[in-house]
């Protein structure tokens, strides 16, 4: 792959991770419950780690013209959302507040990330670039799975709270 194209993709990925981190930090700061704050803080922390990885790869390409090796052998996924998605946590999220809105926005961010990273992993012939994007795609898929599970639960609560059952 051409160096400038690799750098542009890394810049786009870095910006996407930064936006996700900012969203999670804002949701954390607005949350009232400590468990909800920790949930969003964990997501923000993971996005910051992704930013560091992308930045390191950017520097590697600038200096050597290629992706750096190593660090992406573990796939970063869990088969199911972590236990942090307990019913207690779900019940503490305000269905009519910023937290629920942030989750909806976060789903869109994570879907975009999964798509970008998956496409890059499929398109590249560079083995280190492929590993990086497969690793990131796996992590973002885990985030997406957590958020979709949470969003579905919140939607059910909204429907139940408002007796929205047309049948």
């Amino acid at each position: 792959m051409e160096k400038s194209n690799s750098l542009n993709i890394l810049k786009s990925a870095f910006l996407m991770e930064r936006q996700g981190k900012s969203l999670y930090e804002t949701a954390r700061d607005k949350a009232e419950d400590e468990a909800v704050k920790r949930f969003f803080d964990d997501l923000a922390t993971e996005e910051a780690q992704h930013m560091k990885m992308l930045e390191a790869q950017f520097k590697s390409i600038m200096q050597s013209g290629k992706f750096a090796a190593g660090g992406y052998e573990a796939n970063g996924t869990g088969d199911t959302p972590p236990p942090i998605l307990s019913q207690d946590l779900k019940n503490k999220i305000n269905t009519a507040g910023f937290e629920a809105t942030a989750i909806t926005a976060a789903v869109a961010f994570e879907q975009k990330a999964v798509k970008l990273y998956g496409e890059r992993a499929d398109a590249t012939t560079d083995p280190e670039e492929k590993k990086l994007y497969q690793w990131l795609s796996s992590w973002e898929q885990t985030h997406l799975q957590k958020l979709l599970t949470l969003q579905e639960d919140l939607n059910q609560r909204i429907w139940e709270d408002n007796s929205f059952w047309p049948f």
Side-chain angles (χ1 to χ4, degrees), residues 33-92:
D33 182 81
E34 285 304 313
V36 175
K37 285 180 181 288
R38 279 191 306 276
F39 172 75
F40 285 115
D41 191 57
D42 288 346
L43 290 170
T45 298
E46 288 177 2
E47 300 299 4
Q49 291 169 345
H50 299 170
M51 289 167 58
K52 286 180 184 177
M53 297 172 104
L54 291 164
E55 182 178 10
Q57 291 296 350
F58 187 90
K59 288 177 181 176
S60 178
I61 291 173
M62 289 296 292
Q63 293 169 355
S64 70
K66 60 185 182 177
F67 280 79
Y72 314 109
E73 285 71 29
N75 71 5
T77 64
D79 293 333
T80 58
I84 194 167
L85 293 178
S86 68
Q87 193 59 45
D88 185 49
L89 173 69
K90 293 176 186 178
N91 290 337
K92 291 178 179 180

Side-chain angles (χ1 to χ4, degrees), residues 132-146:
L132 169 69
Y133 288 123
Q134 286 173 331
W135 188 89
L136 286 167
S137 180
S138 293
W139 263 109
E140 300 302 353
Q141 184 63 44
T142 300
H143 290 176
L144 180 59
Q145 186 180 8
K146 282 194 265 191

Side-chain angles (χ1 to χ4, degrees), residues 19-31 37 40 44 98-99 102:
Q19 290 168 338
K21 179 179 174 284
S22 178
L23 175 66
Y24 296 138
E25 288 172 339
T26 301
R28 175 202 62 208
D29 294 344
K30 290 185 177 285
K37 285 180 181 288
F40 285 115
F98 182 80
E99 297 160 4

Side-chain angles (χ1 to χ4, degrees), residues 102-116:
I103 289 166
T104 299
V107 165
F109 270 112
E110 299 297 345
Q111 287 171 329
K112 183 178 175 183
V114 167
K115 183 176 187 243
L116 174 68

